[in-house]
Structures are given as C-alpha cells and as structure tokens.
Coordinates of all heavy atoms in Angstrom, one line a residue:
S24 N 108.6 93.4 119.6 CA 108.6 92.3 120.5 C 108.2 92.8 121.8 O 108.5 93.8 122.3 CB 109.8 91.5 120.5 OG 110.9 92.2 121.2
E25 N 107.5 91.9 122.6 CA 107.2 92.3 124.0 C 108.1 91.7 125.0 O 108.6 90.6 124.9 CB 105.8 91.6 124.2 CG 104.9 92.2 125.4 CD 103.6 91.7 125.3 OE1 102.8 91.7 124.2 OE2 103.2 91.1 126.3
A26 N 108.6 92.5 125.9 CA 109.5 92.2 126.9 C 108.7 91.8 128.3 O 107.6 92.1 128.5 CB 110.4 93.3 127.3
V27 N 109.4 91.0 129.1 CA 108.8 90.8 130.5 C 108.8 92.0 131.3 O 109.7 92.7 131.4 CB 109.7 89.7 131.2 CG1 109.2 89.4 132.6 CG2 109.7 88.3 130.3
D28 N 107.7 92.2 131.9 CA 107.6 93.4 132.8 C 108.2 93.1 134.2 O 107.9 92.2 134.9 CB 106.0 93.7 133.1 CG 105.8 94.8 134.1 OD1 106.8 95.4 134.5 OD2 104.6 95.1 134.4
P29 N 109.4 93.7 134.4 CA 110.2 93.5 135.6 C 109.5 93.7 136.9 O 109.6 92.9 137.8 CB 111.5 94.3 135.5 CG 111.1 95.5 134.5 CD 110.0 94.9 133.6
V30 N 108.6 94.6 137.0 CA 107.9 94.8 138.3 C 106.9 93.7 138.4 O 106.8 93.1 139.6 CB 106.9 96.2 138.2 CG1 106.1 96.3 139.4 CG2 108.0 97.4 138.0
R31 N 106.1 93.2 137.5 CA 105.3 92.0 137.6 C 106.0 90.8 137.9 O 105.7 90.0 138.7 CB 104.4 92.0 136.3 CG 103.3 91.1 136.3 CD 102.5 91.2 135.2 NE 101.8 90.0 135.1 CZ 101.0 89.6 133.9 NH1 101.1 90.4 132.9 NH2 100.5 88.5 133.8
A32 N 107.2 90.6 137.2 CA 108.0 89.4 137.5 C 108.5 89.4 138.9 O 108.5 88.3 139.6 CB 109.1 89.4 136.4
N33 N 109.1 90.5 139.5 CA 109.4 90.6 140.8 C 108.4 90.4 141.9 O 108.6 89.7 142.7 CB 110.0 92.0 141.0 CG 111.5 92.1 140.5 OD1 112.1 91.1 140.3 ND2 111.9 93.3 140.1
R34 N 107.1 90.8 141.5 CA 106.0 90.5 142.4 C 105.8 89.0 142.4 O 105.5 88.4 143.5 CB 104.7 91.2 142.0 CG 104.7 92.7 142.4 CD 103.4 93.3 142.1 NE 103.5 94.7 142.0 CZ 103.0 95.4 141.0 NH1 102.3 94.9 140.0 NH2 103.2 96.7 140.9
W35 N 105.9 88.2 141.3 CA 105.7 86.8 141.4 C 106.8 86.3 142.1 O 106.5 85.3 142.8 CB 105.7 86.3 139.9 CG 105.4 85.0 139.8 CD1 104.1 84.3 139.9 CD2 106.2 83.9 139.6 NE1 104.2 83.0 139.8 CE2 105.6 82.7 139.6 CE3 107.7 83.8 139.5 CZ2 106.2 81.4 139.4 CZ3 108.2 82.5 139.3 CH2 107.6 81.5 139.2
F36 N 108.0 86.6 142.0 CA 109.1 85.9 142.6 C 109.1 86.2 144.1 O 109.5 85.4 144.9 CB 110.5 86.4 142.1 CG 110.9 85.8 140.9 CD1 111.0 86.4 139.7 CD2 111.3 84.3 140.8 CE1 111.4 85.7 138.5 CE2 111.7 83.7 139.8 CZ 111.8 84.3 138.6
E37 N 108.5 87.3 144.5 CA 108.3 87.6 145.9 C 107.3 86.7 146.6 O 107.3 86.6 147.9 CB 107.9 89.1 146.2 CG 109.0 90.1 145.8 CD 108.6 91.4 145.8 OE1 107.3 91.7 145.9 OE2 109.5 92.3 145.6
T38 N 106.5 85.9 145.9 CA 105.6 84.9 146.4 C 106.2 83.8 146.7 O 105.6 82.7 147.5 CB 104.5 84.7 145.5 OG1 104.8 84.0 144.3 CG2 103.6 86.0 145.1
W39 N 107.5 83.6 146.6 CA 108.3 82.3 146.9 C 109.3 82.6 147.9 O 109.8 83.7 148.0 CB 109.0 81.8 145.6 CG 108.0 81.5 144.5 CD1 107.6 82.3 143.4 CD2 107.5 80.3 144.3 NE1 106.8 81.7 142.7 CE2 106.7 80.3 143.1 CE3 107.5 79.0 145.0 CZ2 105.9 79.4 142.6 CZ3 106.7 77.9 144.4 CH2 105.9 78.1 143.3
D40 N 109.5 81.6 148.8 CA 110.6 81.6 149.7 C 111.7 80.6 149.4 O 111.4 79.5 149.5 CB 109.9 81.2 151.1 CG 111.0 81.3 152.3 OD1 112.0 82.0 152.1 OD2 110.7 80.7 153.3
G41 N 112.8 81.1 149.0 CA 113.9 80.2 148.6 C 113.9 79.8 147.1 O 113.1 80.4 146.3
P42 N 114.5 78.8 146.8 CA 114.8 78.5 145.3 C 113.6 77.8 144.8 O 112.8 77.1 145.4 CB 115.9 77.6 145.3 CG 115.9 76.9 146.7 CD 115.4 77.9 147.6
L43 N 113.4 78.0 143.5 CA 112.3 77.3 142.7 C 113.1 76.2 141.9 O 114.2 76.4 141.5 CB 111.7 78.2 141.7 CG 110.9 79.4 142.2 CD1 110.5 80.3 141.2 CD2 109.6 78.8 143.0
T44 N 112.4 75.0 141.8 CA 113.0 74.0 140.9 C 112.1 73.8 139.7 O 110.9 73.7 139.8 CB 113.1 72.7 141.7 OG1 113.9 72.8 142.9 CG2 113.5 71.5 140.9
V45 N 112.8 73.8 138.6 CA 112.0 73.5 137.2 C 112.6 72.3 136.7 O 113.8 72.3 136.5 CB 112.1 74.8 136.3 CG1 111.4 74.4 135.0 CG2 111.4 76.0 136.9
E46 N 111.8 71.4 136.3 CA 112.3 70.1 135.8 C 111.6 69.9 134.4 O 110.4 69.9 134.4 CB 112.0 68.9 136.7 CG 112.3 67.5 136.2 CD 111.9 66.4 137.0 OE1 111.6 66.6 138.3 OE2 111.9 65.2 136.5
L47 N 112.3 69.7 133.4 CA 111.7 69.3 132.1 C 111.8 67.9 131.8 O 112.9 67.3 132.1 CB 112.4 70.0 130.9 CG 112.4 71.7 131.1 CD1 113.3 72.3 130.0 CD2 111.0 72.1 131.0
R48 N 110.9 67.4 131.2 CA 110.7 65.7 130.9 C 109.9 65.6 129.6 O 109.0 66.4 129.1 CB 109.9 65.2 132.0 CG 109.9 63.7 131.8 CD 109.4 63.3 133.2 NE 108.9 61.8 132.9 CZ 108.3 61.0 133.8 NH1 108.1 61.5 135.0 NH2 108.0 59.8 133.5
D49 N 110.5 64.6 128.8 CA 109.9 64.2 127.6 C 109.8 65.4 126.6 O 108.8 65.5 125.8 CB 108.5 63.6 127.8 CG 108.4 62.5 128.8 OD1 109.5 61.8 128.8 OD2 107.4 62.2 129.4
V50 N 110.9 66.1 126.5 CA 110.8 67.3 125.5 C 111.1 66.8 124.1 O 112.0 66.0 124.0 CB 112.0 68.4 126.0 CG1 112.2 69.4 125.0 CG2 111.7 68.8 127.4
V51 N 110.4 67.4 123.2 CA 110.6 67.0 121.8 C 110.8 68.4 121.1 O 110.2 69.4 121.3 CB 109.2 66.4 121.2 CG1 109.3 66.3 119.6 CG2 108.9 65.2 122.0
V52 N 111.8 68.5 120.3 CA 112.2 69.7 119.5 C 112.0 69.3 118.0 O 112.6 68.4 117.4 CB 113.6 70.2 119.9 CG1 114.0 71.4 119.0 CG2 113.8 70.4 121.3
K53 N 111.4 70.2 117.3 CA 111.2 70.0 115.8 C 111.7 71.3 115.3 O 111.3 72.4 115.6 CB 109.7 69.9 115.4 CG 108.9 68.7 116.1 CD 109.4 67.4 115.4 CE 108.6 66.2 116.0 NZ 108.8 65.0 115.2
V54 N 112.5 71.2 114.1 CA 113.1 72.4 113.4 C 112.9 72.2 112.1 O 113.2 71.1 111.4 CB 114.7 72.5 113.8 CG1 115.1 73.6 113.1 CG2 114.9 72.6 115.3
D55 N 112.4 73.2 111.4 CA 112.3 73.3 109.9 C 112.7 74.7 109.4 O 112.0 75.6 109.7 CB 110.8 72.9 109.5 CG 110.8 72.8 107.9 OD1 111.6 72.7 107.2 OD2 109.5 72.7 107.5
A56 N 113.9 74.7 108.8 CA 114.5 76.0 108.3 C 114.5 77.0 109.4 O 115.4 76.9 110.3 CB 113.6 76.5 107.2
D57 N 113.7 78.1 109.5 CA 113.8 79.2 110.4 C 112.8 79.1 111.4 O 112.5 80.1 112.2 CB 113.8 80.4 109.7 CG 115.0 80.6 108.8 OD1 116.1 80.2 109.2 OD2 114.9 81.5 107.7
L58 N 112.1 78.0 111.6 CA 111.1 77.9 112.6 C 111.4 76.6 113.5 O 111.7 75.5 112.9 CB 109.8 77.7 112.0 CG 108.5 77.8 113.0 CD1 108.4 79.1 113.7 CD2 107.2 77.5 112.2
A59 N 111.3 76.7 114.7 CA 111.4 75.5 115.8 C 110.4 75.5 116.8 O 109.8 76.6 117.1 CB 112.8 75.6 116.4
C60 N 110.0 74.4 117.1 CA 108.9 74.1 118.2 C 109.5 73.0 119.2 O 110.0 72.1 118.8 CB 107.7 73.7 117.5 SG 106.3 73.5 118.7
A61 N 109.3 73.4 120.4 CA 109.7 72.5 121.5 C 108.5 72.4 122.5 O 107.8 73.3 122.8 CB 110.9 73.0 122.3
F62 N 108.2 71.0 122.8 CA 107.2 70.8 123.8 C 107.5 69.7 124.7 O 108.3 68.8 124.3 CB 105.9 70.7 123.0 CG 105.9 69.5 122.0 CD1 105.6 68.2 122.3 CD2 106.3 69.8 120.7 CE1 105.6 67.2 121.3 CE2 106.3 68.8 119.7 CZ 106.0 67.6 120.0
G63 N 106.9 69.7 125.9 CA 107.0 68.6 126.7 C 106.4 68.9 128.1 O 105.5 69.8 128.2
L64 N 106.9 68.3 129.1 CA 106.2 68.4 130.5 C 107.3 69.2 131.3 O 108.5 69.1 131.2 CB 106.1 66.9 131.1 CG 105.1 66.2 130.3 CD1 105.0 64.8 131.0 CD2 103.6 66.7 130.2
M65 N 106.7 70.0 132.2 CA 107.5 70.9 133.1 C 107.0 70.7 134.6 O 105.7 70.8 134.7 CB 107.5 72.3 132.6 CG 108.2 73.3 133.5 SD 108.4 74.9 132.9 CE 106.7 75.5 133.2
R66 N 107.8 70.5 135.5 CA 107.5 70.4 136.9 C 108.0 71.7 137.5 O 109.2 72.0 137.4 CB 108.1 69.1 137.6 CG 107.7 69.0 138.9 CD 108.5 67.8 139.4 NE 108.1 67.5 140.9 CZ 108.8 66.8 141.7 NH1 109.8 66.0 141.2 NH2 108.3 66.6 143.0
L67 N 107.1 72.3 138.3 CA 107.5 73.5 139.1 C 107.3 73.1 140.5 O 106.2 72.7 141.0 CB 106.7 74.7 138.6 CG 106.9 76.0 139.4 CD1 108.3 76.6 139.2 CD2 105.9 77.1 139.2
S68 N 108.3 73.3 141.3 CA 108.2 73.0 142.7 C 109.0 74.1 143.5 O 110.0 74.7 143.1 CB 108.6 71.7 143.1 OG 109.8 71.4 142.8
G69 N 108.6 74.3 144.7 CA 109.2 75.2 145.7 C 108.3 75.6 146.9 O 107.1 75.1 147.0
R70 N 108.8 76.4 147.8 CA 108.1 76.7 149.0 C 107.6 78.2 148.8 O 108.4 79.1 148.4 CB 108.9 76.6 150.3 CG 108.2 77.1 151.5 CD 108.6 76.2 152.7 NE 108.7 74.8 152.6 CZ 107.7 74.0 152.8 NH1 106.4 74.5 152.9 NH2 107.8 72.7 152.5
R71 N 106.4 78.4 149.1 CA 105.7 79.7 149.0 C 106.1 80.6 150.2 O 106.5 80.1 151.2 CB 104.2 79.7 148.9 CG 103.7 78.9 147.6 CD 104.2 79.6 146.4 NE 103.2 79.5 145.3 CZ 102.9 80.3 144.3 NH1 103.7 81.3 144.3 NH2 102.1 80.1 143.5
A72 N 106.0 81.9 150.0 CA 106.2 82.8 151.1 C 105.4 82.6 152.4 O 105.7 82.8 153.5 CB 106.1 84.2 150.6
D73 N 104.1 81.9 152.1 CA 103.2 81.8 153.2 C 103.5 80.4 153.8 O 102.8 79.9 154.8 CB 101.8 81.8 152.7 CG 101.3 80.6 151.8 OD1 102.3 79.8 151.5 OD2 100.3 80.7 151.3
G74 N 104.6 79.7 153.4 CA 105.0 78.5 154.0 C 104.5 77.2 153.4 O 104.9 76.1 153.6
S75 N 103.4 77.4 152.6 CA 102.9 76.2 151.8 C 103.8 75.7 150.7 O 104.8 76.4 150.2 CB 101.6 76.6 151.3 OG 101.7 77.6 150.1
A76 N 103.8 74.4 150.3 CA 104.5 73.9 149.2 C 103.8 73.8 147.9 O 102.5 73.7 147.8 CB 104.9 72.6 149.6
T77 N 104.5 74.1 146.9 CA 103.8 74.0 145.5 C 104.7 73.0 144.8 O 106.0 72.9 144.8 CB 103.9 75.4 144.8 OG1 103.1 76.3 145.3 CG2 103.5 75.2 143.3
D78 N 103.9 71.9 144.0 CA 104.6 71.1 143.3 C 103.7 70.5 142.3 O 102.7 69.8 142.7 CB 105.2 70.0 144.2 CG 105.9 68.9 143.4 OD1 106.1 68.9 142.2 OD2 106.4 67.8 144.0
F79 N 103.7 70.9 141.1 CA 102.8 70.4 140.0 C 103.5 70.2 138.6 O 104.5 70.9 138.3 CB 101.6 71.3 139.9 CG 101.9 72.7 139.4 CD1 101.7 73.0 138.0 CD2 102.3 73.8 140.2 CE1 102.1 74.2 137.5 CE2 102.5 75.0 139.6 CZ 102.3 75.2 138.4
W80 N 102.9 69.5 137.7 CA 103.3 69.3 136.4 C 102.4 70.0 135.4 O 101.2 70.2 135.6 CB 103.3 67.9 136.0 CG 104.4 67.0 136.7 CD1 104.4 66.5 137.9 CD2 105.7 66.8 136.1 NE1 105.5 65.8 138.1 CE2 106.4 66.0 137.1 CE3 106.3 67.2 134.9 CZ2 107.7 65.5 137.0 CZ3 107.7 66.7 134.7 CH2 108.2 65.9 135.7
S81 N 103.0 70.6 134.4 CA 102.2 71.3 133.4 C 102.8 70.8 132.0 O 103.9 70.3 131.9 CB 102.3 72.8 133.5 OG 103.5 73.3 133.3
R82 N 102.1 71.2 131.0 CA 102.6 70.9 129.6 C 103.2 72.3 129.1 O 102.4 73.3 129.4 CB 101.4 70.6 128.7 CG 101.9 70.3 127.3 CD 101.2 68.9 126.9 NE 101.7 68.7 125.6 CZ 102.6 67.8 125.2 NH1 103.5 67.4 126.2 NH2 103.1 67.6 124.1
T83 N 104.2 72.4 128.5 CA 104.9 73.5 128.0 C 105.2 73.5 126.5 O 105.6 72.4 126.1 CB 106.2 74.0 128.9 OG1 106.5 75.2 128.4 CG2 107.3 72.9 128.7
T84 N 105.0 74.6 125.8 CA 105.3 74.7 124.4 C 105.9 76.0 124.1 O 105.6 77.0 124.7 CB 104.0 74.7 123.5 OG1 103.3 73.4 123.8 CG2 104.3 74.6 122.0
M85 N 107.0 75.9 123.3 CA 107.8 77.2 123.0 C 108.0 77.0 121.5 O 108.5 76.1 121.0 CB 109.1 77.2 123.8 CG 109.7 78.5 123.6 SD 111.3 78.7 124.6 CE 110.5 78.7 126.2
C86 N 107.8 78.2 120.7 CA 108.1 78.3 119.3 C 109.0 79.4 119.2 O 109.0 80.4 119.7 CB 106.8 78.6 118.5 SG 105.5 77.3 118.7
L87 N 110.1 79.1 118.4 CA 111.1 79.9 118.0 C 111.2 80.2 116.5 O 111.0 79.4 115.7 CB 112.5 79.4 118.6 CG 112.5 79.2 120.1 CD1 112.2 77.7 120.3 CD2 113.8 79.6 120.6
E88 N 111.7 81.5 116.3 CA 111.9 81.8 114.8 C 113.3 82.4 114.7 O 113.6 83.3 115.5 CB 110.8 82.9 114.4 CG 110.9 83.3 112.9 CD 109.9 84.3 112.6 OE1 109.5 85.0 113.5 OE2 109.5 84.3 111.4
R89 N 114.1 82.0 113.7 CA 115.4 82.6 113.4 C 115.3 83.9 112.7 O 114.6 83.8 111.5 CB 116.3 81.5 112.6 CG 117.6 82.1 112.6 CD 118.5 81.1 111.9 NE 118.1 80.0 111.2 CZ 118.5 78.7 111.3 NH1 119.6 78.5 111.8 NH2 118.0 77.7 110.6
R90 N 115.8 85.0 113.2 CA 115.6 86.1 112.6 C 116.9 86.9 112.6 O 117.5 87.1 113.7 CB 114.7 87.2 113.4 CG 113.2 86.7 113.4 CD 112.4 87.7 114.3 NE 111.0 87.2 114.4 CZ 110.2 87.7 115.2 NH1 110.5 88.8 116.1 NH2 108.9 87.2 115.3
G91 N 117.5 87.1 111.5 CA 118.8 87.8 111.4 C 119.9 86.8 112.0 O 120.9 87.4 112.5
G92 N 119.7 85.5 111.8 CA 120.7 84.7 112.3 C 120.6 84.4 113.8 O 121.4 83.4 114.4
E93 N 119.6 85.0 114.6 CA 119.5 84.7 116.0 C 118.1 84.1 116.2 O 117.1 84.4 115.5 CB 119.7 86.0 116.8 CG 121.1 86.5 116.7 CD 121.2 87.7 117.7 OE1 120.1 88.0 118.5 OE2 122.2 88.3 117.5
W94 N 118.0 83.1 117.1 CA 116.7 82.5 117.4 C 116.0 83.4 118.5 O 116.6 83.8 119.5 CB 116.9 81.1 118.0 CG 117.3 80.2 117.0 CD1 118.5 79.7 116.8 CD2 116.4 79.4 116.1 NE1 118.5 78.8 115.7 CE2 117.3 78.6 115.2 CE3 115.1 79.4 115.8 CZ2 116.8 77.8 114.3 CZ3 114.5 78.6 114.9 CH2 115.4 77.9 114.0
R95 N 114.7 83.7 118.2 CA 113.9 84.5 119.2 C 112.6 83.6 119.4 O 112.0 83.0 118.6 CB 113.4 85.7 118.4 CG 114.6 86.6 118.0 CD 115.2 87.3 119.1 NE 116.3 88.2 118.5 CZ 117.0 88.7 119.3 NH1 116.8 88.9 120.6 NH2 117.9 89.6 118.8
I96 N 112.2 83.8 120.7 CA 110.9 83.1 121.1 C 109.8 83.9 120.5 O 109.7 85.1 120.8 CB 110.8 83.0 122.7 CG1 112.1 82.1 123.2 CG2 109.5 82.5 123.0 CD1 112.1 82.2 124.7
V97 N 108.9 83.3 119.8 CA 107.8 84.0 119.2 C 106.5 83.5 119.8 O 105.4 84.2 119.7 CB 107.7 83.9 117.7 CG1 108.9 84.6 117.1 CG2 107.6 82.4 117.3
H98 N 106.5 82.4 120.7 CA 105.2 82.0 121.2 C 105.6 81.0 122.3 O 106.5 80.3 122.3 CB 104.4 81.3 120.3 CG 103.1 80.7 120.8 ND1 102.1 81.4 121.2 CD2 102.9 79.3 121.3 CE1 101.2 80.6 121.8 NE2 101.6 79.3 121.8
E99 N 105.0 81.2 123.5 CA 105.0 80.2 124.7 C 103.9 80.1 125.3 O 103.0 81.0 125.4 CB 106.1 80.9 125.5 CG 106.4 80.0 126.8 CD 107.4 80.6 127.8 OE1 107.8 81.8 127.5 OE2 107.8 80.1 128.8
H100 N 103.5 78.7 125.7 CA 102.2 78.4 126.2 C 102.5 77.3 127.4 O 103.2 76.5 127.2 CB 101.3 78.0 125.2 CG 100.0 77.6 125.8 ND1 99.0 78.5 126.1 CD2 99.4 76.3 126.1 CE1 98.0 77.8 126.6 NE2 98.2 76.5 126.7
N101 N 101.9 77.5 128.5 CA 101.9 76.5 129.5 C 100.5 76.2 130.0 O 99.6 77.1 130.1 CB 102.7 77.1 130.7 CG 104.2 77.3 130.4 OD1 104.9 76.3 130.1 ND2 104.5 78.5 130.3
S102 N 100.1 75.0 130.2 CA 98.8 74.7 130.7 C 98.8 73.4 131.5 O 99.8 72.6 131.5 CB 97.8 74.5 129.5 OG 98.4 73.4 128.7
V103 N 97.8 73.2 132.3 CA 97.5 72.0 133.1 C 96.2 71.3 132.5 O 95.3 72.0 132.1 CB 97.5 72.2 134.7 CG1 98.8 72.8 135.2 CG2 96.4 73.3 135.0
P104 N 96.3 70.0 132.7 CA 94.9 69.4 132.2 C 93.8 69.8 133.3 O 94.0 70.1 134.3 CB 95.2 68.0 132.3 CG 96.5 67.8 133.1 CD 97.1 69.1 133.1
M105 N 92.6 69.6 132.7 CA 91.4 69.9 133.5 C 90.7 68.6 134.0 O 91.0 67.5 133.3 CB 90.3 70.8 132.9 CG 89.8 70.0 131.6 SD 88.5 71.0 130.9 CE 87.1 70.1 130.8
L106 N 90.2 68.6 135.2 CA 89.4 67.5 135.7 C 88.4 67.1 134.7 O 87.6 68.0 134.2 CB 88.9 67.7 137.1 CG 90.0 68.0 138.1 CD1 89.3 68.4 139.5 CD2 90.8 66.7 138.4
M107 N 88.0 65.8 134.6 CA 87.0 65.5 133.5 C 85.8 65.2 134.4 O 85.0 64.3 133.9 CB 87.6 64.2 132.8 CG 88.7 64.5 131.9 SD 88.5 65.7 130.8 CE 87.4 65.0 129.6
D108 N 85.4 65.9 135.4 CA 84.3 65.6 136.3 C 83.2 66.8 136.0 O 82.2 66.9 136.7 CB 84.6 65.6 137.6 CG 85.2 66.9 138.2 OD1 85.3 67.8 137.4 OD2 85.7 67.0 139.3
G109 N 83.4 67.5 134.9 CA 82.5 68.7 134.6 C 82.7 70.0 135.5 O 82.1 70.9 135.1
S110 N 83.6 69.9 136.3 CA 83.8 71.2 137.1 C 84.8 72.3 136.5 O 84.7 73.4 136.8 CB 84.6 70.8 138.5 OG 86.0 70.4 138.2
G111 N 85.5 71.8 135.5 CA 86.4 72.7 134.8 C 87.6 73.0 135.5 O 88.3 73.9 135.2
A112 N 87.8 72.5 136.7 CA 88.9 72.8 137.7 C 90.2 72.1 137.0 O 90.2 71.1 136.4 CB 88.6 72.2 139.0
A113 N 91.3 72.8 137.4 CA 92.6 72.5 137.0 C 92.9 71.2 137.8 O 92.8 71.0 138.9 CB 93.6 73.4 137.2
A114 N 93.6 70.1 137.1 CA 94.1 68.8 137.7 C 95.6 69.1 138.0 O 96.4 68.7 137.2 CB 93.8 67.8 136.8
T115 N 95.9 69.7 139.2 CA 97.3 70.0 139.4 C 98.0 69.0 140.2 O 99.2 68.9 140.5 CB 97.4 71.4 140.1 OG1 96.6 71.2 141.5 CG2 96.9 72.5 139.4
D116 N 97.3 67.8 140.4 CA 98.0 66.8 141.3 C 98.4 65.5 140.4 O 98.8 64.7 140.8 CB 97.0 66.4 142.3 CG 95.7 65.8 141.9 OD1 95.3 66.0 140.6 OD2 95.0 65.0 142.5
L117 N 98.3 65.7 139.1 CA 98.6 64.6 138.2 C 100.1 64.4 138.1 O 100.9 65.5 138.1 CB 98.0 64.9 136.9 CG 96.5 64.8 136.7 CD1 96.2 65.1 135.4 CD2 95.9 63.5 137.2
K118 N 100.8 63.3 137.8 CA 102.1 63.1 137.7 C 102.2 62.3 136.3 O 101.4 61.6 136.1 CB 102.6 62.2 138.9 CG 102.3 62.8 140.3 CD 103.2 63.9 140.6 CE 103.0 64.2 142.0 NZ 102.2 65.6 142.3
P119 N 103.4 62.6 135.7 CA 103.6 61.8 134.4 C 103.8 60.3 134.7 O 104.2 59.9 135.7 CB 104.7 62.5 133.7 CG 105.4 63.2 134.9 CD 104.4 63.4 135.9

C-alpha cells in the first residue's frame, strides 16, 4: 500500500495560514460484505499563506476494503465540475 509522503504533505500545509475547515454534505455510504464506498460533497475553506481566501466545493469518493478484519482505504478521488463553456476550466465557485 502507498503511504502519504510527509514532505509533500508538509509543503501543502505550509501554503495555509491558520486552520482549514472541511465540511462534508450529502454523504452516502454503501457497504456490501468486505467492500464499502462513500461519496458526497466536500467544502474546503481557509486562508492561504499569501493572505488570499480559499472556499470551494468538490465531489469526494472513497472506497474501502476490509482486510484481516480492518477497513483500509483502497481508492480516493476528489474533483470539481468543469465549466460548460468549452474552456475546460474548473468551476470552483459553484455551491450545492
């Protein structure tokens, strides 16, 4: 299994000034035997180290597998919708 690279994670956290807020909404969890999938909306907000504010919603999906009696994350995906104007740009200003 792949672990989070602590150096890379610390670099990302250093781009923030103060606490981050994560809000989950409309979460659905499906479980069948040793496989589970959870999906819903996630809001990330906080102040960046450069003083700018970040506040956007994304869609998040996480799949877990029970191995040896313990649940392990086997897949995780986050995405934002794209603008439907042909630009292919992310639509980070949408609200649920």
Side-chain angles (χ1 to χ4, degrees):
S24 71
E25 205 172 300
V27 174
D28 177 358
V30 172
R31 193 170 155 194
N33 283 333
R34 281 191 201 131
W35 184 80
F36 278 112
E37 289 170 357
T38 67
W39 298 91
D40 180 24
L43 297 171
T44 300
V45 175
E46 176 186 343
L47 297 174
R48 182 170 167 181
D49 302 332
V50 176
V51 175
V52 178
K53 304 282 187 171
V54 180
D55 186 10
D57 292 331
L58 187 63
C60 183
F62 54 91
L64 300 175
M65 180 176 69
R66 179 183 183 191
L67 177 67
S68 60
R70 181 146 313 275
R71 295 297 211 154
D73 67 3
S75 65
T77 294
D78 186 354
F79 70 92
W80 287 88
S81 64
R82 181 135 183 94
T83 186
T84 302
M85 187 177 294
C86 299
L87 300 98
E88 183 179 29
R89 187 172 16 215
R90 296 178 183 168
E93 294 184 9
W94 288 99
R95 303 286 183 181
I96 299 169
V97 294
H98 176 76
E99 183 177 3
H100 180 77
N101 296 291
S102 62
V103 294
M105 62 180 235
L106 295 173
M107 299 302 288
D108 62 2
S110 69
T115 59
D116 60 344
L117 299 177
K118 310 284 186 255

